[in-house]
Amino acid sequence: MPCNAAKTDRYLSFEGIECDAYAERVVGYIRDCIGDVENPSDWQSYFERKLVENAGMGQDDLFLVGSQINYIRMLFEHYEHYEHYEHGAGLELLDQIEEDCC
């Protein structure tokens, strides 16, 4: 039975899905979190290293986010990076990336 809904199938194409923009925002949130010296997380040094490694390998932000999604989730949970968080809704965006882009 054919579906007439205009839903993008992530397994066929990322067309219409802003995966790179989502990943760029998540990396910005990671940078905000690891820059917070008043509320340190055990994940700060880990992500400082991962950001350098990712850049050194020439990988894009989506690669980093996709390969570190569970660790990013733990970092964002430490900072309560929910919708009410002043810097944005990191956890909701992470869920969206996982659903649409990974």
Side-chain angles (χ1 to χ4, degrees), residues 32-41 44 78-79:
D32 289 344
C33 290
I34 64 176
D36 186 348
V37 295
E38 293 184 22
N39 183 20
S41 164
Q44 285 178 316
H78 172 83
Y79 288 99

PDB file of all heavy atoms in Angstrom, residues 32-41 44 78-79:
ATOM      1  N   ASP A  32      30.041  24.646  25.178  1.00  0.00           N
ATOM      2  CA  ASP A  32      29.515  25.412  26.313  1.00  0.00           C
ATOM      3  C   ASP A  32      29.696  24.636  27.612  1.00  0.00           C
ATOM      4  O   ASP A  32      30.108  25.193  28.631  1.00  0.00           O
ATOM      5  CB  ASP A  32      28.021  25.727  26.134  1.00  0.00           C
ATOM      6  CG  ASP A  32      27.742  26.746  25.054  1.00  0.00           C
ATOM      7  OD1 ASP A  32      28.684  27.464  24.627  1.00  0.00           O
ATOM      8  OD2 ASP A  32      26.573  26.828  24.621  1.00  0.00           O
ATOM      9  N   CYS A  33      29.355  23.360  27.572  1.00  0.00           N
ATOM     10  CA  CYS A  33      29.440  22.532  28.779  1.00  0.00           C
ATOM     11  C   CYS A  33      30.873  22.377  29.263  1.00  0.00           C
ATOM     12  O   CYS A  33      31.147  22.529  30.457  1.00  0.00           O
ATOM     13  CB  CYS A  33      28.841  21.146  28.521  1.00  0.00           C
ATOM     14  SG  CYS A  33      27.048  21.123  28.306  1.00  0.00           S
ATOM     15  N   ILE A  34      31.794  22.076  28.352  1.00  0.00           N
ATOM     16  CA  ILE A  34      33.168  21.847  28.796  1.00  0.00           C
ATOM     17  C   ILE A  34      33.862  23.152  29.181  1.00  0.00           C
ATOM     18  O   ILE A  34      34.885  23.125  29.847  1.00  0.00           O
ATOM     19  CB  ILE A  34      34.008  21.051  27.770  1.00  0.00           C
ATOM     20  CG1 ILE A  34      34.188  21.805  26.461  1.00  0.00           C
ATOM     21  CG2 ILE A  34      33.387  19.688  27.540  1.00  0.00           C
ATOM     22  CD1 ILE A  34      35.084  21.103  25.463  1.00  0.00           C
ATOM     23  N   GLY A  35      33.276  24.266  28.807  1.00  0.00           N
ATOM     24  CA  GLY A  35      33.814  25.555  29.212  1.00  0.00           C
ATOM     25  C   GLY A  35      33.307  26.029  30.561  1.00  0.00           C
ATOM     26  O   GLY A  35      33.758  27.057  31.074  1.00  0.00           O
ATOM     27  N   ASP A  36      32.404  25.277  31.163  1.00  0.00           N
ATOM     28  CA  ASP A  36      31.816  25.652  32.451  1.00  0.00           C
ATOM     29  C   ASP A  36      32.733  25.195  33.581  1.00  0.00           C
ATOM     30  O   ASP A  36      32.667  24.053  34.035  1.00  0.00           O
ATOM     31  CB  ASP A  36      30.433  25.026  32.602  1.00  0.00           C
ATOM     32  CG  ASP A  36      29.695  25.483  33.850  1.00  0.00           C
ATOM     33  OD1 ASP A  36      30.333  26.105  34.729  1.00  0.00           O
ATOM     34  OD2 ASP A  36      28.491  25.221  33.946  1.00  0.00           O
ATOM     35  N   VAL A  37      33.598  26.082  34.038  1.00  0.00           N
ATOM     36  CA  VAL A  37      34.563  25.727  35.087  1.00  0.00           C
ATOM     37  C   VAL A  37      33.950  25.759  36.479  1.00  0.00           C
ATOM     38  O   VAL A  37      34.507  25.193  37.412  1.00  0.00           O
ATOM     39  CB  VAL A  37      35.811  26.640  35.039  1.00  0.00           C
ATOM     40  CG1 VAL A  37      36.578  26.419  33.743  1.00  0.00           C
ATOM     41  CG2 VAL A  37      35.434  28.095  35.193  1.00  0.00           C
ATOM     42  N   GLU A  38      32.806  26.395  36.621  1.00  0.00           N
ATOM     43  CA  GLU A  38      32.167  26.472  37.937  1.00  0.00           C
ATOM     44  C   GLU A  38      31.356  25.223  38.272  1.00  0.00           C
ATOM     45  O   GLU A  38      31.051  24.980  39.434  1.00  0.00           O
ATOM     46  CB  GLU A  38      31.279  27.715  38.012  1.00  0.00           C
ATOM     47  CG  GLU A  38      32.093  28.995  37.968  1.00  0.00           C
ATOM     48  CD  GLU A  38      31.237  30.229  38.140  1.00  0.00           C
ATOM     49  OE1 GLU A  38      30.126  30.115  38.691  1.00  0.00           O
ATOM     50  OE2 GLU A  38      31.681  31.295  37.703  1.00  0.00           O
ATOM     51  N   ASN A  39      30.986  24.452  37.279  1.00  0.00           N
ATOM     52  CA  ASN A  39      30.213  23.227  37.483  1.00  0.00           C
ATOM     53  C   ASN A  39      30.862  22.116  36.661  1.00  0.00           C
ATOM     54  O   ASN A  39      30.289  21.642  35.689  1.00  0.00           O
ATOM     55  CB  ASN A  39      28.756  23.447  37.061  1.00  0.00           C
ATOM     56  CG  ASN A  39      27.892  22.234  37.306  1.00  0.00           C
ATOM     57  OD1 ASN A  39      28.227  21.352  38.093  1.00  0.00           O
ATOM     58  ND2 ASN A  39      26.774  22.167  36.611  1.00  0.00           N
ATOM     59  N   PRO A  40      32.076  21.687  37.043  1.00  0.00           N
ATOM     60  CA  PRO A  40      32.808  20.728  36.209  1.00  0.00           C
ATOM     61  C   PRO A  40      32.126  19.366  36.129  1.00  0.00           C
ATOM     62  O   PRO A  40      31.437  18.940  37.042  1.00  0.00           O
ATOM     63  CB  PRO A  40      34.163  20.617  36.898  1.00  0.00           C
ATOM     64  CG  PRO A  40      33.922  21.045  38.298  1.00  0.00           C
ATOM     65  CD  PRO A  40      32.790  22.034  38.260  1.00  0.00           C
ATOM     66  N   SER A  41      32.340  18.739  35.003  1.00  0.00           N
ATOM     67  CA  SER A  41      31.844  17.389  34.751  1.00  0.00           C
ATOM     68  C   SER A  41      33.034  16.473  34.530  1.00  0.00           C
ATOM     69  O   SER A  41      34.076  16.900  34.016  1.00  0.00           O
ATOM     70  CB  SER A  41      30.970  17.395  33.498  1.00  0.00           C
ATOM     71  OG  SER A  41      30.769  16.085  33.016  1.00  0.00           O
ATOM     72  N   GLN A  44      34.393  16.568  30.884  1.00  0.00           N
ATOM     73  CA  GLN A  44      35.032  17.725  30.245  1.00  0.00           C
ATOM     74  C   GLN A  44      36.322  17.360  29.525  1.00  0.00           C
ATOM     75  O   GLN A  44      36.481  17.664  28.345  1.00  0.00           O
ATOM     76  CB  GLN A  44      35.275  18.835  31.262  1.00  0.00           C
ATOM     77  CG  GLN A  44      34.005  19.567  31.615  1.00  0.00           C
ATOM     78  CD  GLN A  44      34.228  20.640  32.651  1.00  0.00           C
ATOM     79  OE1 GLN A  44      34.932  20.428  33.638  1.00  0.00           O
ATOM     80  NE2 GLN A  44      33.607  21.779  32.445  1.00  0.00           N
ATOM     81  N   HIS A  78      24.330  15.856  32.972  1.00  0.00           N
ATOM     82  CA  HIS A  78      25.036  16.509  34.077  1.00  0.00           C
ATOM     83  C   HIS A  78      24.661  17.989  34.147  1.00  0.00           C
ATOM     84  O   HIS A  78      24.496  18.545  35.226  1.00  0.00           O
ATOM     85  CB  HIS A  78      26.555  16.361  33.910  1.00  0.00           C
ATOM     86  CG  HIS A  78      27.341  17.149  34.897  1.00  0.00           C
ATOM     87  ND1 HIS A  78      27.603  16.698  36.172  1.00  0.00           N
ATOM     88  CD2 HIS A  78      27.902  18.381  34.818  1.00  0.00           C
ATOM     89  CE1 HIS A  78      28.300  17.614  36.827  1.00  0.00           C
ATOM     90  NE2 HIS A  78      28.501  18.652  36.031  1.00  0.00           N
ATOM     91  N   TYR A  79      24.557  18.602  32.979  1.00  0.00           N
ATOM     92  CA  TYR A  79      24.239  20.034  32.919  1.00  0.00           C
ATOM     93  C   TYR A  79      22.749  20.298  32.792  1.00  0.00           C
ATOM     94  O   TYR A  79      22.356  21.436  32.550  1.00  0.00           O
ATOM     95  CB  TYR A  79      25.004  20.693  31.768  1.00  0.00           C
ATOM     96  CG  TYR A  79      26.464  20.801  32.081  1.00  0.00           C
ATOM     97  CD1 TYR A  79      27.381  19.890  31.582  1.00  0.00           C
ATOM     98  CD2 TYR A  79      26.930  21.791  32.938  1.00  0.00           C
ATOM     99  CE1 TYR A  79      28.720  19.967  31.899  1.00  0.00           C
ATOM    100  CE2 TYR A  79      28.265  21.882  33.265  1.00  0.00           C
ATOM    101  CZ  TYR A  79      29.158  20.961  32.741  1.00  0.00           C
ATOM    102  OH  TYR A  79      30.474  21.038  33.082  1.00  0.00           O
TER     103      TYR A  79
END
